[in-house]
Amino acid sequence: MSEEENNRLLIVSAHPDDMEFGCGGTVAKWISEGWEGSLLICTDGRAGTSDPEMKQEDLADIRKKEAIAAANVLGIKDINFLDYPDGQLEDTPDLRENIIRAIRRVKPKIVFTFDPYRRTHNHRDHRNVGQATFDALYPYARDYHHFSHLIDEGLMPHIVEEAYSWTDDPDVWIDITGSIEKKFEALREHVSQIKSPDELFARIKERHAEQGENAGFKYAEGFRVHKFRW
């Protein structure tokens, strides 16, 4: 496939369920239309419980299985885990290198991730993943001499055309009317995290209906689109 025919997307997520909440409807829609999806999850999700009896290692294993099942619902087969400790993720050269490695391996046209500058409070892991991803996109994944040891792994520079960040201030809305139920089907796989799915999904539907009003859709997911002009 030539770069002109590139239909690959990459989602860079902090925790095992972030992708489904942030862009699950859009990813389901695009994959059904022929896109190829890859998912990079940066933390192991081990802190995602209020149960003092739950061992963190056990929860990490549970959440990894849930993430794989949910991604498969959406049509994502390429799923990778960095396994940084949940809640302790920092914007480090090591994190940036791992994201650059994923970008150069997948060679996506579009990357989905967090908006690191949301006006409302954002989980620290989310902020750090968003910032590290944008730094990886520009200029590090693009430039030969940044992280040049990756060349020895056969990972040549790659230019991503656009990044879609889920945010408080979207400027693009994607119609997910036909894929919102697939989003919910994927979220249902996260049994360790979602205890009252019907109540949660009602709130999510209300939010996506509000977003859809901006673009004339019944349900929509909103993003801020960042175009990279080289």
Side-chain angles (χ1 to χ4, degrees):
M1 177 183 296
S2 69
E3 285 304 305
E4 289 74 18
E5 299 169 316
N6 186 348
N7 67 343
R8 294 181 294 275
L9 62 88
L10 169 67
I11 309 104
V12 184
S13 172
H15 306 104
D17 57 355
D18 294 331
M19 178 269 292
E20 292 85 344
F21 282 108
C23 61
T26 300
V27 169
K29 172 185 173 70
W30 286 9
I31 288 178
S32 73
E33 294 171 351
W35 285 72
E36 299 174 16
S38 295
L39 172 62
L40 180 68
I41 300 175
C42 296
T43 78
D44 58 13
R46 65 175 52 216
T49 182
S50 58
D51 180 3
E53 302 300 319
M54 172 66 76
K55 293 182 179 179
Q56 292 190 354
E57 315 83 65
D58 292 343
L59 182 59
D61 289 341
I62 289 169
R63 297 198 69 186
K64 182 173 288 189
K65 292 172 183 173
E66 290 174 348
I68 293 170
N72 286 338
V73 166
L74 300 181
I76 300 171
K77 306 301 181 186
D78 180 38
I79 308 150
N80 295 273
F81 301 87
L82 296 182
D83 290 330
Y84 291 98
D86 183 3
Q88 303 177 42
L89 190 65
E90 298 296 334
D91 179 6
T92 62
D94 185 70
L95 175 60
R96 291 192 293 276
E97 177 177 326
N98 279 313
I99 297 172
I100 294 162
R101 182 176 283 109
I103 292 169
R104 291 189 178 186
R105 179 183 63 83
V106 175
K107 298 188 180 302
K109 180 176 182 178
I110 292 175
V111 169
F112 289 85
T113 195
F114 306 92
D115 175 4
Y117 303 114
R118 283 181 60 178
R119 290 180 291 106
T120 56
H121 181 66
N122 201 2
H123 192 301
R124 181 177 178 83
D125 288 347
H126 296 182
R127 293 198 305 273
N128 287 337
V129 168
Q131 187 61 65
T133 300
F134 275 97
D135 290 339
L137 287 166
Y138 177 82
Y140 300 130
R142 178 199 69 174
D143 290 353
Y144 188 96
H145 291 294
H146 285 305
F147 295 85
S148 57
H149 58 279
L150 295 177
I151 302 297
D152 297 332
E153 299 179 23
L155 298 172
M156 300 300 291
H158 174 69
I159 295 174
V160 173
E161 291 187 16
E162 297 177 338
Y164 281 53
S165 62
W166 48 91
T167 179
D168 297 326
D169 301 299
D171 55 13
V172 166
W173 292 266
I174 305 298
D175 182 6
I176 62 164
T177 305
S179 59
I180 192 169
E181 293 301 329
K182 185 66 72 172
K183 174 185 178 105
F184 294 154
E185 184 182 345
L187 281 167
R188 285 185 188 279
E189 296 292 344
H190 294 281
V191 177
S192 70
Q193 305 301 297
I194 299 175
K195 304 304 182 184
S196 302
D198 293 340
E199 179 181 336
L200 173 64
F201 297 163
R203 294 199 305 270
I204 293 174
K205 264 191 174 179
E206 182 177 352
R207 184 179 78 244
H208 289 321
E210 291 174 356
Q211 291 179 314
E213 287 180 354
N214 293 294
F217 304 134
K218 184 175 181 180
Y219 299 112
E221 287 177 337
F223 304 93
R224 182 161 289 274
V225 176
H226 311 259
K227 297 181 183 292
F228 298 97
R229 295 185 173 89
W230 311 98

